[in-house]
Amino acid sequence: MVFLYFLCVLYGLAMLFILAYSLAQGHLLYHFLKAEKNKIQKAPESPEIWPSVTVQLPIYNELYVVERLIDAVAKLNYPRPLLQIQLLDDSTDQTSELIRRKLAEYPSIDFQYIHRAIRTGFKAGALREGLEKAKGEFIAIFDADFVPDGDFLLRTIPYFTSGKVGMVQTRWTHLNRDYSVLTRLQAVALDAHFLIEQTGRNHQGAFINFNGTGGIWRKTCIYDAGNWHDDTLTEDLDLSYRAQRKGWEFVYRPEIESPAELPPIMSAVKSQQFRWTKGGAECAVKHFGQVNRERHPFHVKFHAFAHLFNSAIFIAVLLASLSSIGVFWAGEMGLISPVWLKVSGIFLVGFVLIALTYLVSFFFESKAFLNSALRVVWQLPLFLSVSMGLALHNAQAVWEGLTGKKSPFVRTPKFNLESGKERLSLNRYLIHRMPMTTWVEGVLALVFWGMVALAFSRENFLFLPFHAMLAIGYSIVFIKSFNSYGLGR
């Protein structure tokens, strides 16, 4: 009985955290709508004298996308004497030779090839080493799976209108959004971040983050903030907070697009999610205490907390889902008043606000409302279900980040499947060793399907929507994981 009460308290605390997170999301949505209402369409005037720019391309074993990347940056529309392009190559396979051959096709472009035999500091270390040799006053960065637009520099440089502006971030778009259901669901998540969250934070002067790629920095800002650190898995978020805490201003421009590839298989999604969520937790430990002690307005501190600890939502979802089983039984045994169970329904407001955020981003750029409405009917519930199904995997990453457990920087494998030239099963970067957590996800799928069946047998439907989404989410994550780890065997 004491254990059941403990589970009820745990459930309440977890749901309270989800509610607080959702209120932050709702506030960002409010500021996004205000920003859209007051949006000024006219871009700033081009500078009379264009500054020098270095484009950094961090690369590690990218056989399938590196040629596409080089071709794209070679087409950047910018005065050639002012443009330097660095290939920061940490590769240990044939990618290095492929790069050298490709660069020979562009003898008139200032390509600087830097190869490191030892990946000290991983991506942060490569960027830091390249910065020492960078000629540019501004530093643009693109990951290997991006295809920058030719006018990227001409459109971003004018936003450095003040010497206080340290970074301009652009919005990611998706080359392979329609490749599969999995890529569609990832697009839903990223669109909400880039449309609602980044815009909402920037509009009210809260901290935003450089997203690791698709952005451009003032070089003096990077140095002033302490250069790239490699003590977290999200060096981009870390540098962003160090720079803004020193007073540098960031600009986010959603109308400037940076197309990129989405991971098409679950194992690749998981490796990316693990790095993002663990790195975010590491940055929360590193920065929030200092941000809270510094003199910032309350809304800046509140959104810094929500931003830095947003990955902890997966711990909250995992705890809420597991403890809800005990709450269900406590209700069945009459240990909890039905009135209190109904009052707890207020927590559902949190899920409504979160769903509304994704709903607005889903329809924001819709050109065919009816078609989008038909898609959102199944994509939004499925997205929320799969997000819940990733709770175990991501909660492990967050816990490691919060407790200081170190792990290497694991790259997300790239595929370039939309070109039609590569086969998924032949990709040499696939991960084949399936972790134990995948089997646990399968067990949790069975547990929550059992809770769905129990709800019907007991005619107690209070937790049915929650448990049904968990059952669907864990089932999809387990099946997609099992299939992706087995590809190519």
Side-chain angles (χ1 to χ4, degrees):
M1 186 177 295
V2 174
F3 182 64
L4 285 178
Y5 282 131
F6 168 76
L7 290 179
C8 291
V9 172
L10 189 63
Y11 174 79
L13 291 174
M15 293 297 286
L16 189 62
F17 181 88
I18 294 172
L19 179 60
Y21 170 81
S22 70
L23 292 175
Q25 292 294 96
H27 193 245
L28 291 178
L29 178 59
Y30 168 74
H31 276 278
F32 165 76
L33 296 174
K34 282 188 67 175
E36 282 300 304
K37 182 179 179 180
N38 303 323
K39 183 166 62 176
I40 299 175
Q41 298 291 342
K42 187 179 179 181
E45 294 183 3
S46 300
E48 293 183 6
I49 301 176
W50 289 95
S52 58
V53 176
T54 295
V55 178
Q56 292 188 319
L57 310 175
I59 295 166
Y60 173 65
N61 294 352
E62 303 289 4
L63 282 174
Y64 305 103
V65 295
V66 71
E67 291 180 294
R68 181 182 68 185
L69 174 65
I70 294 172
D71 286 335
V73 296
K75 296 174 184 176
L76 285 171
N77 185 14
Y78 204 74
R80 288 287 180 236
L82 300 174
L83 180 63
Q84 176 193 41
I85 302 172
Q86 291 183 332
L87 276 296
L88 308 176
D89 182 27
D90 286 359
S91 299
T92 57
D93 64 2
Q94 296 95 322
T95 301
S96 300
E97 181 59 31
L98 198 61
I99 292 172
R100 293 188 184 97
R101 290 203 305 266
K102 192 67 180 177
L103 295 185
E105 298 178 14
Y106 298 101
S108 63
I109 299 178
D110 183 10
F111 277 110
Q112 182 182 39
Y113 178 70
I114 302 173
H115 183 263
R116 302 194 309 163
I118 301 176
R119 297 178 66 208
T120 304
F122 304 105
K123 180 181 176 181
L127 294 171
R128 188 169 57 235
E129 185 169 325
L131 196 65
E132 296 174 2
K133 303 174 183 178
K135 302 175 184 177
E137 180 184 348
F138 293 90
I139 310 294
I141 301 172
F142 293 101
D143 283 347
D145 53 336
F146 275 68
V147 184
D149 181 76
D151 289 336
F152 177 87
L153 298 176
L154 297 180
R155 298 183 68 189
T156 53
I157 289 293
Y159 284 98
F160 289 92
T161 52
S162 163
K164 295 181 179 180
V165 176
M167 192 277 298
V168 174
Q169 175 67 50
T170 65
R171 178 166 62 94
W172 295 6
T173 54
H174 319 294
L175 294 168
N176 59 337
R177 174 193 290 268
D178 297 326
Y179 177 79
S180 68
V181 171
L182 190 58
T183 55
R184 286 179 181 272
L185 298 184
Q186 291 175 79
V188 172
L190 289 171
D191 288 348
H193 169 68
F194 280 96
L195 283 171
I196 310 298
E197 295 177 352
Q198 289 285 64
T199 302
R201 292 190 187 107
N202 204 211
H203 179 260
Q204 60 182 303
F207 291 165
I208 67 168
N209 61 295
F210 168 59
N211 291 103
T213 175
I216 181 166
W217 287 82
R218 190 185 297 272
K219 184 162 66 174
T220 53
C221 173
I222 298 176
Y223 278 127
D224 183 59
N227 213 328
W228 298 100
H229 291 183
D230 54 39
D231 56 347
T232 74
L233 293 180
T234 47
E235 72 293 322
D236 45 8
L237 179 61
D238 173 41
L239 181 59
S240 297
Y241 267 76
R242 283 188 280 118
Q244 289 168 106
R245 286 175 50 213
K246 294 205 72 172
W248 288 95
E249 297 174 2
F250 282 12
V251 174
Y252 176 63
R253 300 311 309 174
E255 77 280 3
I256 305 176
E257 299 179 358
S258 293
E261 175 186 291
L262 294 164
I265 58 174
M266 185 60 75
S267 58
V269 172
K270 281 186 167 181
S271 66
Q272 185 180 72
Q273 288 278 310
F274 192 92
R275 188 174 70 251
W276 287 353
T277 52
K278 181 173 181 177
E282 290 173 330
C283 286
V285 173
K286 183 175 181 178
H287 290 289
F288 182 70
Q290 295 171 330
V291 171
N292 194 44
R293 288 190 294 270
E294 293 167 352
R295 298 184 67 178
H296 300 290
F298 172 77
H299 74 276
V300 172
K301 292 184 179 182
F302 174 67
H303 280 290
F305 174 82
H307 188 192
L308 290 169
F309 285 97
N310 65 359
S311 58
I313 192 73
F314 291 104
I315 292 180
V317 169
L318 181 64
L319 292 177
S321 62
L322 294 176
S323 59
S324 69
I325 298 173
V327 176
F328 176 91
W329 276 111
E332 283 291 300
M333 296 171 63
L335 299 176
I336 300 178
S337 169
V339 174
W340 283 110
L341 286 173
K342 291 178 181 179
V343 169
S344 68
I346 193 173
F347 289 129
L348 297 177
V349 173
F351 289 100
V352 172
L353 282 174
I354 293 171
L356 184 61
T357 300
Y358 290 107
L359 191 65
V360 171
S361 70
F362 194 94
F363 280 106
F364 179 70
E365 291 189 306
S366 173
K367 294 180 176 62
F369 180 83
L370 181 59
N371 184 50
S372 295
L374 293 174
R375 285 190 291 114
V376 78
V377 166
W378 65 269
Q379 283 189 23
L380 184 56
L382 192 61
F383 163 73
L384 295 173
S385 296
V386 172
S387 297
M388 292 179 185
L390 284 166
L392 175 66
H393 175 270
N394 288 351
Q396 178 188 354
V398 176
W399 183 252
E400 288 186 8
L402 293 176
T403 56
K405 181 179 179 180
K406 295 299 180 182
S407 58
F409 185 102
V410 179
R411 65 183 287 278
T412 304
K414 316 300 191 304
F415 297 86
N416 196 11
L417 296 176
E418 67 276 7
S419 69
K421 298 178 181 179
E422 307 294 340
R423 289 178 56 191
L424 180 59
S425 61
L426 298 180
N427 189 295
R428 66 176 62 193
Y429 304 132
L430 291 173
I431 301 169
H432 297 304
R433 189 166 61 91
M434 191 164 70
M436 179 59 67
T437 51
T438 299
W439 294 109
V440 179
E441 287 163 350
V443 171
L444 288 173
L446 294 175
V447 168
F448 286 108
W449 280 122
M451 293 304 298
V452 169
L454 195 61
F456 283 101
S457 67
R458 296 273 183 166
E459 296 186 356
N460 183 345
F461 305 117
L462 182 64
F463 288 101
L464 179 60
F466 187 40
H467 288 163
M469 293 179 73
L470 287 163
I472 294 169
Y474 277 119
S475 296
I476 292 173
V477 170
F478 172 73
I479 293 169
K480 289 289 186 181
S481 298
F482 188 85
N483 290 341
S484 63
Y485 287 119
L487 275 171
R489 284 181 174 174

